[in-house]
Amino acid sequence: MAEPQKYLPGVADEDNENDGPLLDPRVEQEAERIAEALVFASAQPVSEAYIASRLQRDADVPRIMARLKALYASRGVNLVQVADHWAFRTAADLSFVVQADEQEVRKLSRAALEVLAIIAYHQPVTRAEIEDIRGVQTSKGTLDVLMEAGWVRFRGRRRTPGRPVTFGTTRDFLDHFGLEELRDLPGIEELKGAGLLSGRVPSNLHIPVPIGEDDLAENEDPITQLDLEELGLLTPKGEEAD
């Protein structure tokens, strides 16, 4: 009688070498439990790098998280991916159950929604470019509201005369709107189907695909401490402004 196959930590099976090393089931189960606990205990999405730092060196974090995601897919809470971070969120069809009646939902103005949409689809984008697309001047207050909500951030500075600041969305933006990455933003057909675009849009209209959230464009420099001081986000001594 043949012996049952044993899975040893870090040892690949010849018939499944493309699937990565097969670990002892008990080891993988413990790794899943640790990852699950780390995400559950955090109020903010947890990065895969942080999870990996708490597991054994050869742990396959993406595979572990994918299995946990599948496990929670039919539960009242779902494990969702936000860029390279993970978080537990109430299942979409049950969100109405846990909404607090006394919590007032702060609605964005039409101008703020337009600016947010332009930044989401055109990032990195400068204030002048936002105004050019909208055809009207954008008040500082509109951008302040979006930044206070945590959905918009300063990305960098454009390598053009005046070195204007560029804007982009944040990981909180992805989390709030249930997006795994920026490429999950709806396209033209989806926007039409949702009634958010007129059926008479120009035939040459295209919606750009934004670059990665943390990727700088070729003509974009990162924000430095001097830039933050100039923008009023840090005092000249490097301390946070009140």
Side-chain angles (χ1 to χ4, degrees):
M1 180 176 179
E3 289 189 21
Q5 186 176 7
K6 296 181 180 179
Y7 298 91
L8 300 178
V11 177
D13 179 78
E14 293 181 359
D15 296 331
N16 298 281
E17 58 183 2
N18 294 330
D19 296 334
L22 295 175
L23 305 180
D24 186 311
R26 292 170 298 180
V27 175
E28 288 215 338
Q29 184 179 22
E30 184 64 15
E32 288 182 10
R33 293 180 67 240
I34 293 173
E36 182 181 26
L38 291 172
V39 178
F40 180 81
S42 176
Q44 301 295 328
V46 181
S47 70
E48 289 187 357
Y50 179 79
I51 295 172
S53 70
R54 296 298 188 270
L55 302 179
Q56 63 186 54
R57 185 175 301 177
D58 55 350
D60 188 340
V61 175
R63 185 171 69 179
I64 289 172
M65 301 312 294
R67 281 207 300 265
L68 283 174
K69 180 179 180 180
L71 177 66
Y72 279 91
S74 59
R75 302 286 183 87
V77 291
N78 299 150
L79 181 63
V80 299
Q81 186 173 4
V82 184
D84 61 343
H85 289 57
W86 293 86
F88 281 114
R89 293 290 182 262
T90 303
D93 61 328
L94 297 178
S95 59
F96 71 95
V97 177
V98 297
Q99 287 179 348
D101 294 335
E102 65 276 8
Q103 184 178 3
E104 182 180 355
V105 179
R106 184 178 182 182
K107 294 184 178 181
L108 294 179
S109 66
R110 178 175 178 178
L113 286 172
E114 289 178 355
V115 172
L116 179 60
I118 290 171
I119 293 175
Y121 281 98
H122 293 266
Q123 59 187 297
V125 62
T126 66
R127 180 173 174 177
E129 290 167 342
I130 293 172
E131 293 177 347
D132 183 56
I133 293 171
R134 292 186 66 215
V136 295
Q137 187 174 3
T138 299
S139 69
K140 182 178 181 296
T142 299
L143 287 168
D144 287 343
V145 166
L146 295 175
M147 297 188 77
E148 288 172 5
W151 294 345
V152 167
R153 66 184 175 93
F154 293 121
R155 279 183 52 102
R157 305 204 79 150
R158 187 69 55 76
R159 295 175 192 166
T160 55
R163 299 188 67 243
V165 174
T166 57
F167 295 93
T169 53
T170 65
R171 192 170 62 247
D172 286 344
F173 166 81
L174 296 177
D175 191 16
H176 181 84
F177 290 97
L179 304 171
E180 184 173 318
E181 59 180 353
L182 290 174
R183 292 180 181 275
D184 292 333
L185 286 167
I188 289 181
E189 295 305 320
E190 292 172 288
L191 292 174
K192 284 182 180 179
L196 298 176
L197 276 182
S198 167
R200 295 179 295 176
V201 295
S203 58
N204 61 345
L205 175 68
H206 75 283
I207 294 180
V209 177
I211 63 176
E213 182 182 352
D214 297 321
D215 298 333
L216 291 173
E218 294 181 357
N219 63 344
E220 190 181 18
D221 290 321
I223 291 284
T224 66
Q225 180 170 318
L226 290 176
D227 293 324
L228 294 176
E229 292 175 4
E230 180 182 330
L231 295 168
L233 301 180
L234 290 179
T235 63
K237 294 183 180 180
E239 299 176 354
E240 292 188 5
D242 295 334

